[in-house]
């Protein structure tokens, strides 16, 4: 008789804190801290009441989008965002591959490992909006600053996950390739690449989706793209144009999501 694949009886998960009194004290401390934190929130109820009216106008503009009045600006911003998204993803992934390989403990020497991990840590430590402000200050307003920002963010995202995937590969396949006298590059090409390539393609498509959404955010600080057009429309209280821009962003993200799902199924 074969044993069941899954447990048939419920077992209580292990407790991190075994002493019941400490658990109760910790729960009470969390509740007290929550109330104290809420007490420090300075809420201006008059401003909240005034904001409800502006929020209602924004929602009405979203329900009645205007694609024609500022279509020239919208199309230009959309073109900039799509260009930034595609180019930054391609460049970022191309740079991420050698960094990800160098950041894998089972492939790279120790000194290369620490250098590549440091690059990944710096890229992941800084949020996109901060990097965008820095590049706008260096290179001025426009999509070039947005391209550099998204490329920098892509490196930390792809290289980190790629390195983790390489460290979790089936070592038996790599050892079999090494046993044939293969070089380091042949091990990477014939043992590592087949195992991580589907995952890398899926992550690249996912990052493409993220970069387009981030292009709408970094445009607020002057890094070009559809975000700059959206910020201008909101500043001018043109909520119908802002609603049209948001609908376009949602549509592009949905197309990217369905496209990435189809591509993952095709690769599998």
């Amino acid at each position: 008789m074969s044993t069941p694949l899954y447990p048939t009886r419920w077992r209580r998960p292990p407790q991190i804190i075994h002493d019941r009194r400490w658990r109760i004290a910790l729960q009470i401390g969390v509740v007290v801290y929550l109330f104290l934190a809420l007490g420090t929130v300075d809420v201006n109820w008059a401003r909240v009441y005034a904001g409800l009216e502006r929020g209602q106008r924004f929602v009405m503009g979203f329900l009645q989008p205007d694609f024609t009045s500022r279509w020239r600006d919208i199309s230009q911003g959309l073109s900039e965002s799509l260009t930034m998204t595609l180019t930054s993803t391609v460049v970022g992934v191309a740079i991420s591959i050698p960094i990800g390989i160098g950041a894998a403990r089972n492939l790279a020497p120790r000194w290369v490992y620490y250098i590549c991990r440091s690059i990944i840590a710096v890229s992941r430590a800084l949020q996109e909006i901060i990097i965008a402000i820095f590049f706008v200050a260096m290179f001025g307003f426009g999509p070039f600053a947005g391209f550099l920002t998204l490329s920098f963010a892509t490196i930390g995202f792809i290289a980190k996950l790629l390195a983790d995937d390489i460290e979790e590969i089936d070592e038996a396949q790599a050892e079999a390739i090494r046993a044939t006298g293969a070089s380091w590059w042949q091990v990477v090409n014939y043992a590592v690449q087949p195992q991580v390539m589907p995952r890398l393609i899926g992550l690249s498509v996912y990052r493409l989706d993220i970069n387009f959404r981030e292009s709408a955010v970094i445009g607020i600080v002057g890094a070009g793209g559809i975000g700059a057009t959206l910020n201008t429309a909101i500043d001018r209280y043109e909520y119908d144009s802002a609603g049209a821009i948001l609908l376009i962003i949602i549509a592009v993200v949905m197309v990217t999501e369905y496209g990435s799902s189809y591509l993952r199924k095709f690769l599998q």
Side-chain angles (χ1 to χ4, degrees):
M1 183 177 180
S2 61
T3 58
L5 298 177
Y6 301 98
T8 56
R9 299 180 61 184
W10 180 83
R11 295 182 60 184
R12 185 175 184 177
Q15 297 288 331
I16 299 177
I17 302 176
H18 298 282
D19 193 334
R20 184 171 181 270
R21 291 170 298 180
W22 279 107
R23 292 200 301 268
I24 295 176
L26 181 61
Q27 294 170 1
I28 294 175
V30 171
V31 173
V32 171
Y33 176 78
L34 178 62
F35 277 102
L36 292 176
L38 291 176
T40 61
V41 178
D42 186 13
V43 180
N44 188 341
W45 294 107
R47 185 176 178 85
V48 171
Y49 179 77
L52 292 177
E53 181 182 358
R54 291 193 295 268
Q56 182 182 3
R57 283 187 291 160
F58 182 81
V59 172
M60 294 303 298
F62 186 83
L63 296 177
Q64 298 176 347
D66 182 10
F67 293 91
T68 58
S69 298
R70 301 195 60 194
W71 175 247
R72 183 175 180 180
D73 296 334
I74 294 174
S75 60
Q76 181 180 355
L78 179 61
S79 176
E80 289 182 355
S81 285
L82 293 176
T83 302
M84 286 192 303
T85 299
L86 181 60
T87 54
S88 62
T89 303
V90 172
V91 172
V93 171
I95 299 175
S96 298
I97 292 176
I99 296 177
I101 295 174
R105 192 186 300 270
N106 55 344
L107 284 181
R110 184 175 297 272
W111 65 274
V112 175
Y113 170 81
Y114 284 122
I115 291 176
C116 293
R117 283 289 177 174
S118 299
I119 296 174
I120 293 174
V122 171
S123 177
R124 298 181 67 243
L126 301 175
Q127 214 273 340
E128 284 86 347
I129 196 71
I130 300 176
I131 299 299
I133 294 173
F134 175 73
F135 282 130
V136 167
M138 286 183 61
F139 303 106
F141 297 100
F144 182 66
F147 160 75
L148 294 177
T149 300
L150 297 178
S151 299
F152 185 81
T154 301
I155 293 173
F157 180 86
I158 297 293
K160 170 68 167 60
L161 297 178
L162 178 61
D164 292 344
D165 287 340
I166 293 176
E167 291 180 347
E168 296 174 0
I169 64 171
D170 184 7
E171 289 293 341
Q173 184 174 344
E175 289 298 329
I177 299 297
R178 291 191 184 98
T180 64
S183 63
W184 179 87
W185 176 252
Q186 289 173 327
V187 172
V188 173
N189 191 29
Y190 294 105
V192 177
Q193 181 263 341
Q195 298 188 58
V196 301
M197 182 58 72
R199 171 75 168 166
L200 176 60
I201 296 176
L203 289 174
S204 301
V205 177
Y206 179 51
R207 187 64 210 187
L208 183 73
D209 179 11
I210 295 175
N211 282 343
F212 179 77
R213 288 185 281 113
E214 289 295 335
S215 70
V217 177
I218 62 177
I220 296 176
V221 296
I226 194 70
T229 309
L230 176 62
N231 187 44
T232 303
I234 294 177
D235 289 342
R236 296 179 179 179
Y237 301 102
E238 298 175 354
Y239 296 127
D240 49 357
S241 297
I245 295 171
L246 291 176
L247 289 176
I248 291 175
I249 294 174
I250 294 173
V252 174
V253 172
M254 290 180 62
V255 170
T256 306
E257 177 66 24
Y258 288 124
S260 62
S261 300
Y262 175 78
L263 182 58
R264 285 193 295 267
K265 291 181 181 178
F266 177 77
L267 293 174
Q268 294 173 355

